[in-house]
Amino acid sequence: MAGTIKLDGTTFLSKDDSNNFTLDVGSGGSIPKGTLGSDVVFPAGHILQVQADQTREQNSLQNNVWDNFYELNITLKSASSDIYIFHGHGVNVQGSNEGYGMLVYRDTSASVTTSDTLVYTPNVTDASGPLTGYMGAGNAFHRYSYHFKDSLSGFSAGTTLYYGFFFQKRDTNSSITLPSGDNNGQHGVFDTTIMEVQK
């Protein structure tokens, strides 16, 4: 059975007796764009946005100091969502029995500090310091990746959240560079994918 769907008196979808559908995109040849109203509710688990970031640099880690070497932000599309972060980097260790720690803090303004909200702490520790990563042999290169969820509450759509990635080496005399580069002077990369997911 043939039929049409109209909006404000204009046909934009029609079906003939052979069940062929025609979408009328107008004389411009494209479908008009629109926006969803603020009252639209997405189902739980719906991905609202995805951002990918890559920063090429190289840093020397210090002991007894948590340094913010990497920071990124995301502006929320929903007041009821969580953030999932997938982060990776390489590490070069110039010594034996050495390691490092990583912490992630969140704030609503740039230049995140360790006084802000701690959202991820994968570390174990010993008497010499944090052990997010550890190498027993000297002059080793390793690649590490981290996946975590930041369970949000009390934020509004349009709020920008800033995540700071802090690093510190264990209390030894070895040298650690992160993210590590190559022998030709190329710096390493911080690779991060950040997603906002509807609760």
Side-chain angles (χ1 to χ4, degrees):
M1 178 179 177
T4 60
I5 297 178
K6 295 184 177 183
L7 183 63
D8 291 336
T10 300
T11 299
F12 67 92
L13 182 65
S14 60
K15 181 174 78 77
D16 61 22
D17 290 325
S18 298
N19 288 326
N20 296 312
F21 288 84
T22 302
L23 179 65
D24 185 351
V25 298
S27 59
S30 62
I31 300 173
K33 296 181 178 179
T35 58
L36 295 173
S38 59
D39 58 342
V40 173
V41 178
F42 290 101
H46 181 85
I47 297 175
L48 300 173
Q49 61 174 313
V50 179
Q51 296 181 19
D53 183 73
Q54 184 180 89
T55 300
R56 184 173 292 278
E57 58 185 273
Q58 186 167 293
N59 305 285
S60 295
L61 272 61
Q62 307 297 314
N63 56 6
N64 301 316
V65 176
W66 287 103
D67 285 315
N68 181 357
F69 284 134
Y70 176 64
E71 192 167 304
L72 77 164
N73 64 77
I74 186 169
T75 300
L76 299 178
K77 294 184 178 296
S78 171
S80 180
S81 60
D82 292 321
I83 297 297
Y84 290 79
I85 295 178
F86 307 87
H87 173 75
H89 57 254
V91 181
N92 192 311
V93 178
Q94 299 294 318
S96 299
N97 302 318
E98 180 59 280
Y100 75 98
M102 184 183 85
L103 299 172
V104 181
Y105 288 83
R106 179 207 341 115
D107 195 18
T108 53
S109 60
S111 301
V112 180
T113 72
T114 54
S115 298
D116 296 318
T117 303
L118 179 64
V119 296
Y120 184 55
T121 173
N123 301 318
V124 294
T125 60
D126 65 8
S128 295
L131 287 168
T132 299
Y134 178 80
M135 300 81 171
N139 302 320
F141 170 83
H142 291 267
R143 172 81 181 177
Y144 288 91
S145 60
Y146 307 90
H147 315 100
F148 62 96
K149 171 185 174 183
D150 183 15
S151 298
L152 303 179
S153 64
F155 295 108
S156 303
T159 300
T160 300
L161 302 179
Y162 296 81
Y163 291 88
F165 290 71
F166 291 76
F167 299 91
Q168 174 184 301
K169 74 172 183 175
R170 296 174 74 233
D171 192 11
T172 69
N173 294 320
S174 299
S175 173
I176 293 184
T177 55
L178 181 154
S180 54
D182 60 23
N183 292 330
N184 297 318
Q186 294 290 323
H187 291 333
V189 294
F190 285 125
D191 290 305
T192 308
T193 299
I194 183 169
M195 298 192 306
E196 181 184 6
V197 178
Q198 185 71 33
K199 288 189 178 184

